[in-house]
Amino acid sequence: MHLNYIASDIERILNEPFAKGGKVRGMDIFKAHEVADAKELGKLVYNDFLPDFVEECSDSLKGMFSREFDKPTLRVSALGKHPLLQVFTKLGFSDGGMTNFNLAMQGHLFEATTRFILRCRGFKILYDNGFYSNEVEWNGVKGHPDFVIETPAGRRIVCECKHVSSSFLNGFLEPEKVLNEATGNMVLTGQNSSRLSSAADNNDYRGYLEQLSVYSEALGYEALWIFWDKERNRYHVVPLDPFTRDLTLAKLETLIPKIRGCNSVREAVETFGIPEAQPQMSRNKPTGMYYVPLVFRDTVWAELFYRKVYVNVSGGKSQYFVVRGETCSLDELLERGRLLFGNNWQ
C-alpha cells in the first residue's frame, strides 16, 4: 500500500477520532475497539489507553523541568535552521530557554494526545525508551524522533508531530484544489492540502525537512509529518517522499562539516554571512520597508544583526521591520554581542 494512502487514513482518524467506522483501505483496524455503546467505549479507552496518556504527560512535565536547554552541540532538530544559529548554539550562546521551554511543552502534550488517538484506533506506538523515543545518530549528530507507529500490517513509519500556524503551512504545503463540476476546472478552496509544496525547501526556516529526513535515513523507515493547524483546527498528515529526503541529506552532508569548522562568531559570519532583510512587497512592488527574516524574528539575534529594528503591532499581531533594510557590519555585530554575552563573543 502506498504511503500516501496510509497518511490519508491516519489524517481522517485524527480529524474524526471517535467516528464510527469499519475498514480503512481494506485494513480492519477498528474492529478491536468497535462497540455500540458509548459508555462501553469510554471504559475501553479508559482501561486500555488512558494510563499511557497520563504517564506520557507526566513524563513530559518531569523531563522538561529537568532538561538542559541549548546544549553546546549540534542537534538533528536544529540542522535545518540557519547555520549561524547552529554555530552560536555550538559555541554556547543562547537566545534564552523559557520561550523554547513553553513551545516544547506544548509540543510534547500535543504529541501525547496524537499518540492517544492513534492507540485508540489500533496503531502500535513504538515509544518505550523513557521520556524520549529511541535516540538516533547520523553523521555524528544525535536526535530523538517523536515516535514510530506500526500499522496493523506491521509497517513501521517514523513520525514528527508539529503544531503550527496556518501561515507556515501556506508555504510548506500545496494549496487544496477541488473540481468545479459546472466548469470542469480545478479551483482553490482557500485551505491547504496534505501534499508537500514544491517550494517547501524555500519556506522551511524551521528545518522540518532536514529533521525528518535524517530520522527516516537513520532508522530506515518511511516518514510522516503530523501537523496541527492551530488557526484552522485541523490535522494534516504529510508523507516525506524519498526524492526530497535524498536531496535534503546530500545538502546536509556538505553543510555539517562547515558548521563544525566554525569556532568563533567571526568565522561563522565570514562563512555564512548575515541574511539580508526581506523587502515588503505590495502588488508585486517594493514598499520601501523591510522585514526581519522569519528565522530571526522575536529573538535577540535580530537586534544584533540589523542596525535598527522596530515592531509594528496591528490586529494583535507583531511585525518586525528593519529600518532601511540595513545589516550590521561584522565589527558592529561583535561590539553589540559583547554587551550581551561578554568577551567570549568574538
Side-chain angles (χ1 to χ4, degrees):
M1 181 181 294
H2 198 283
L3 184 61
N4 286 340
Y5 293 147
I6 297 175
S8 65
D9 291 335
I10 293 173
E11 182 175 300
R12 183 164 65 85
I13 289 167
L14 291 172
N15 281 315
E16 300 179 10
F18 299 109
K20 292 183 179 179
K23 294 186 177 181
V24 176
R25 305 284 182 189
M27 298 188 302
D28 194 4
I29 65 173
F30 296 166
K31 186 174 181 181
H33 311 304
E34 273 192 353
V35 288
D37 184 83
K39 185 180 291 186
E40 290 300 315
L41 177 60
K43 289 180 181 179
L44 180 70
V45 169
Y46 181 84
N47 292 330
D48 288 3
F49 307 113
L50 196 59
D52 284 334
F53 174 72
V54 173
E55 182 180 1
E56 288 178 2
C57 290
S58 175
D59 286 347
S60 293
L61 284 167
K62 289 187 290 186
M64 291 298 294
F65 277 105
S66 62
R67 185 178 169 196
E68 180 182 349
F69 287 91
D70 295 323
K71 294 179 182 178
T73 183
L74 292 180
R75 295 171 291 118
V76 172
S77 59
L79 280 178
K81 295 182 179 179
H82 195 279
L84 285 179
L85 300 185
Q86 297 185 67
V87 174
F88 294 162
T89 298
K90 181 175 79 83
L91 296 176
F93 301 116
S94 171
D95 187 33
M98 283 310 295
T99 299
N100 295 336
F101 171 91
N102 291 325
L103 289 174
M105 188 69 252
Q106 294 171 35
H108 285 304
L109 295 177
F110 164 64
E111 292 164 27
T113 302
T114 300
R115 287 191 292 267
F116 171 72
I117 295 172
L118 290 174
R119 283 192 182 102
C120 289
R121 284 308 201 179
F123 287 87
K124 291 182 181 178
I125 307 296
L126 307 184
Y127 176 82
D128 54 6
N129 188 24
F131 173 57
Y132 289 114
S133 51
N134 294 328
E135 183 177 75
V136 303
E137 183 172 344
W138 184 80
N139 275 16
V141 183
K142 295 181 179 181
H144 300 86
D146 287 341
F147 57 88
V148 174
I149 59 171
E150 185 174 281
T151 70
R155 191 168 177 174
R156 293 185 173 185
I157 305 168
V158 61
C159 301
E160 276 295 302
C161 287
K162 308 293 183 185
H163 58 127
V164 296
S165 65
S166 296
S167 60
F168 175 80
L169 289 178
N170 290 344
F172 199 76
L173 302 179
E174 290 287 349
E176 185 179 64
K177 296 180 180 179
V178 297
L179 177 65
N180 184 325
E181 295 183 358
T183 64
N185 297 323
M186 300 297 291
V187 295
L188 295 173
T189 66
Q191 303 287 326
N192 290 309
S193 71
S194 293
R195 299 187 309 276
L196 195 64
S197 169
S198 58
D201 187 41
N202 296 327
N203 296 306
D204 182 26
Y205 61 92
R206 298 177 181 177
Y208 291 166
L209 283 168
E210 286 79 3
Q211 183 183 19
L212 192 57
S213 294
V214 169
Y215 292 152
S216 177
E217 176 72 9
L219 291 169
Y221 298 150
E222 297 169 299
L224 295 171
W225 288 280
I226 300 178
F227 290 112
W228 174 253
D229 186 329
K230 295 184 290 186
E231 280 83 19
R232 293 170 177 151
N233 297 319
R234 176 184 171 185
Y235 275 100
H236 289 278
V237 181
V238 182
L240 172 65
D241 65 272
F243 180 74
T244 299
R245 180 195 62 200
D246 293 345
L247 283 179
T248 303
L249 294 174
K251 181 179 70 174
L252 285 177
E253 287 175 343
T254 301
L255 178 63
I256 289 173
K258 290 183 179 180
I259 294 173
R260 286 204 172 109
C262 293
N263 296 306
S264 69
V265 174
R266 180 179 292 275
E267 281 185 86
V269 174
E270 289 175 345
T271 301
F272 299 110
I274 298 173
E276 294 183 357
Q278 301 166 343
Q280 184 189 55
M281 306 295 288
S282 177
R283 298 180 180 179
N284 296 321
K285 294 182 179 179
T287 65
M289 302 176 72
Y290 296 83
Y291 290 120
V292 172
L294 280 169
V295 68
F296 298 133
R297 290 180 193 176
D298 199 22
T299 70
V300 68
W301 310 122
E303 301 290 342
L304 292 179
F305 293 158
Y306 306 102
R307 286 216 172 108
K308 188 173 182 180
V309 175
Y310 70 95
V311 182
N312 179 49
V313 180
S314 177
K317 293 186 177 181
S318 299
Q319 291 183 308
Y320 295 80
F321 292 97
V322 179
V323 176
R324 293 185 296 278
E326 293 179 343
T327 301
C328 288
S329 67
L330 177 56
D331 289 338
E332 287 176 306
L333 171 63
L334 294 175
E335 183 179 351
R336 290 182 176 198
R338 290 189 191 104
L339 297 176
L340 287 174
F341 300 110
N343 291 330
N344 288 330
W345 179 270
Q346 56 184 351

